[in-house]
């Protein structure tokens, strides 16, 4: 009798547990349904402003489709193109790839065997001045105190220094700088403007790259605060043109601009750095030869933070050119785009409607569907370098997400993208509590917004809607 009572108690407890599980399941299903309804409402509201919205979200690692809207349509991806560029680069070169720039002396010339290293930055971890000082030290150790010239060997990193799709932009602007075999300071100059007390013009000092640039013109100082915000600097061959006016009570300002030809500037800068380090450069120097004078190495990983967190177009395109040169034998801008396409096909197969015209997302010829991009994100998460890929993206409060996703109950790592008529946000979201039907695991998501002519929404409204969409996805 006692055993029968115990069995009955166990059965009653099991029934109560099943009831709780059913109730929990119903509550979760209700919560997910509410989130899906909220998600669709947000998409519909954004589309009523004249936007076309593409959304895709999949659970990881299962690949279960959690949400989609216009997922097979193609969109202009803006800087979400960098997600594809990084995926292709890591797939082709690996996370541990090293850039190696080699120095030799041949026939009296200091020869730089370039590889497309994007990491040489003044006052950074890979300062060109420090590199050239070490080259000078190695030359002197070989009894060489003068060379006839500095010569750059570009390998296959040839041709135009910007993708053809960038030609619609003002090439003096810092966001579309030149790429090449060896480019310093992300293809840009940086100047410090100081409104000196009692002067009639601002003091202008070029702080990067380490090369002599002549200042043409001037930036005058004015007591009119409104007029004192109209000034600029633009680079020409060997000079920087200064114009406009700066408020006389303004503090010191830093100004960046693109340089015309990265490779030419690099050779001139390295020439000057070499001389400053005590190695003469003169045509009558005694001819000499010395292989393997110095090899300077940097890691691909060093380029990922500026590319993804700062959205550097230079780093995206430079990495793609390095991929083309190292893996596919063509480091031109066109070769870079072809290399991206080959590596992405190897990663996720062929998607015929996709157009890869650059790595950075400035080209208006790029066409990407949410389904394709979310497939790439899911495939990257499954690769051995998947953690490197995800960790390269800014999280809430960092980089291009510095003012977004700060006080939310889920984690986000995502890439933004903005053009005149496009806004994008894609990456990974990880709920902090296991709420959704996929047990709270990580989700790969894509939100692409393109606005047709006549659309009424502004970029701030697009970003706010995207953030709300991501929050709804986090609850699925």
């Amino acid at each position: 009798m006692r055993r029968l009572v115990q069995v009955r108690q166990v059965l009653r407890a099991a029934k109560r547990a099943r009831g709780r599980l059913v109730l929990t399941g119903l509550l979760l299903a209700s919560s997910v349904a509410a989130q899906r309804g909220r998600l669709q409402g947000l998409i519909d509201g954004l589309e009523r402003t004249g936007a076309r919205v593409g959304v895709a979200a999949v659970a990881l690692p299962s690949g279960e489709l959690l949400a989609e809207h216009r997922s097979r349509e193609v969109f202009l991806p803006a800087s979400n193109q960098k997600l594809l560029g990084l995926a292709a680069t890591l797939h082709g070169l690996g996370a541990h790839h090293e850039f190696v720039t080699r120095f030799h002396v041949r026939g009296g010339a200091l020869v730089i065997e370039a590889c497309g290293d994007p990491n040489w930055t003044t006052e950074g971890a890979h300062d060109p001045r420090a590199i050239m000082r070490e080259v000078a030290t190695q030359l002197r150790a070989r009894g060489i105190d003068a060379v006839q010239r500095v010569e750059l060997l570009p390998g296959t990193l040839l041709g135009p220094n910007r993708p053809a799709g960038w030609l619609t932009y003002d090439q003096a602007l810092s966001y579309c700088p030149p790429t090449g075999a060896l480019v310093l300071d992300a293809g840009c100059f940086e100047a410090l403007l100081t409104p000196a007390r009692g002067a009639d013009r601002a003091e202008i000092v070029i702080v990067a790259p380490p090369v002599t640039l002549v200042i043409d013109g001037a930036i005058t100082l004015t007591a009119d605060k409104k007029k004192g915000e109209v000034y600029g600097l633009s680079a020409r061959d060997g000079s920087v043109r200064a114009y406009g006016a700066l408020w006389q009570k303004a503090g010191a300002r830093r100004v960046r601009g693109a340089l015309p030809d990265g490779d030419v500037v690099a050779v001139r800068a390295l020439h000057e750095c070499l001389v400053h380090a005590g190695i003469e450069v003169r045509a009558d120097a005694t001819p000499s030869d010395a292989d393997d004078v110095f090899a300077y190495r940097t890691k691909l990983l060093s380029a990922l933070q500026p590319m993804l967190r700062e959205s550097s177009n230079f780093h995206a395109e430079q990495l793609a050119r390095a991929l083309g040169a190292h893996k596919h034998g063509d480091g031109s801008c066109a070769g870079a785009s072809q290399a991206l396409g080959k590596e992405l096909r190897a990663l996720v197969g062929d998607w015929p409607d996709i157009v890869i015209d650059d790595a950075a997302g400035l080209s208006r010829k790029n066409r990407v569907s949410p389904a394709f991009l979310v497939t790439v994100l899911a495939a990257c998460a499954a690769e051995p370098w998947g953690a490197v890929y995800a960790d390269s993206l800014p999280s809430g409060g960092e980089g291009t997400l510095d003012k977004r996703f700060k006080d939310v109950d889920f984690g986000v790592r995502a890439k933004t993208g903005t053009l005149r008529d496009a806004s994008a946000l894609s990456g990974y979201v990880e709920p902090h509590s296991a709420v959704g039907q996929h047990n709270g695991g990580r989700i790969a998501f894509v939100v692409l917004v393109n606005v047709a002519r006549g659309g009424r929404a502004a970029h701030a409204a697009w970003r706010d809607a995207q953030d709300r969409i991501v929050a709804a996805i986090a609850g699925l």
Side-chain angles (χ1 to χ4, degrees), residues 61-78:
S62 69
E64 176 190 358
L65 181 64
L66 301 178
E68 66 171 333
H69 182 84
R70 301 187 189 273
S71 65
R72 294 283 174 170
E73 296 182 18
V74 292
F75 290 75
L76 187 63

Side-chain angles (χ1 to χ4, degrees), residues 386-463:
V388 170
Y389 183 88
D391 290 347
S392 300
L393 299 170
S395 58
E398 294 180 338
T400 56
L401 292 179
D402 63 335
K403 297 180 180 178
R404 302 170 72 175
F405 300 110
K406 287 185 174 181
D407 301 310
V408 294
D409 60 354
F410 53 88
V412 176
R413 285 197 176 273
K415 179 73 194 74
T416 59
T418 304
L419 289 173
R420 180 185 67 253
D421 51 357
S423 184
L425 182 67
S426 303
Y428 303 101
V429 62
E430 188 162 2
H432 290 166
S433 58
V435 178
Q437 63 178 4
H438 62 290
N439 297 320
R442 193 161 52 141
I443 302 170
F445 73 89
V446 174
V447 184
L448 302 180
V449 179
N450 286 184
V451 176
R453 184 175 298 176
R456 301 186 304 279
H459 280 82
W462 303 344
R463 288 191 290 269

Side-chain angles (χ1 to χ4, degrees), residues 53-294:
V53 182
V55 173
V58 298
L60 300 177
S62 69
E64 176 190 358
L65 181 64
L66 301 178
E68 66 171 333
H69 182 84
R70 301 187 189 273
S71 65
R72 294 283 174 170
E73 296 182 18
V74 292
F75 290 75
L76 187 63
S79 279
N80 271 200
Q81 188 81 353
K82 293 181 176 72
L83 293 169
L84 302 179
L86 178 59
T89 299
L90 289 173
H91 186 269
L93 298 181
H96 302 294
H97 177 77
E98 284 189 328
F99 297 100
V100 185
T101 306
R102 302 182 186 277
F103 297 84
H104 315 278
V105 177
R106 294 173 182 165
L110 176 63
V111 176
I112 306 167
E113 192 177 318
C115 62
D117 190 337
N119 293 314
W120 291 29
T121 304
T122 303
E123 299 180 352
H126 307 288
D127 193 319
R129 297 168 298 185
I131 298 167
M132 289 310 297
R133 282 195 294 269
E134 184 58 30
V135 173
T137 298
Q138 296 300 325
L139 288 171
R140 283 193 294 270
R142 290 162 174 75
I144 300 171
D145 57 11
V147 296
Q148 295 180 353
R149 64 188 181 278
V150 178
E151 182 179 316
L152 183 68
L153 294 184
T156 65
L157 292 149
L158 300 168
N161 58 26
R162 294 174 176 86
W166 290 18
L167 296 180
T168 57
Y169 298 94
D170 184 347
Q171 297 188 11
L173 297 176
S174 60
Y175 64 76
C176 50
T179 54
L182 181 60
V183 180
L184 311 183
D185 293 286
C188 292
F189 70 88
E190 185 167 349
L192 180 65
L193 308 184
T194 305
R197 186 182 298 274
D200 62 354
R201 60 181 60 190
E203 179 186 11
I204 304 173
V205 177
I206 304 296
V207 291
V211 68
T212 300
L213 295 172
V214 177
I215 306 297
D216 291 332
I219 296 176
T220 60
L221 297 179
T222 176
D224 188 324
K225 186 175 181 180
K226 185 178 293 186
K227 291 182 180 179
E229 291 297 328
V230 183
Y231 61 87
L233 298 171
S234 62
R236 302 172 180 173
D237 293 336
S239 67
V240 172
R241 185 174 71 89
Y243 57 90
L246 176 66
W247 185 39
Q248 62 188 15
K249 293 183 180 180
R253 304 285 180 89
R254 284 185 176 254
V255 177
R256 284 172 58 84
L259 290 161
D261 191 321
D263 288 348
V264 171
V265 171
V267 169
R268 286 181 46 228
L270 297 176
H271 178 144
E272 293 182 15
C273 288
L274 195 65
V275 171
H276 191 265
I279 299 296
E280 292 184 78
V281 181
R282 49 186 174 80
D284 63 347
T286 302
S288 56
D289 292 286
D291 283 333
D292 303 320
V293 170
F294 184 54

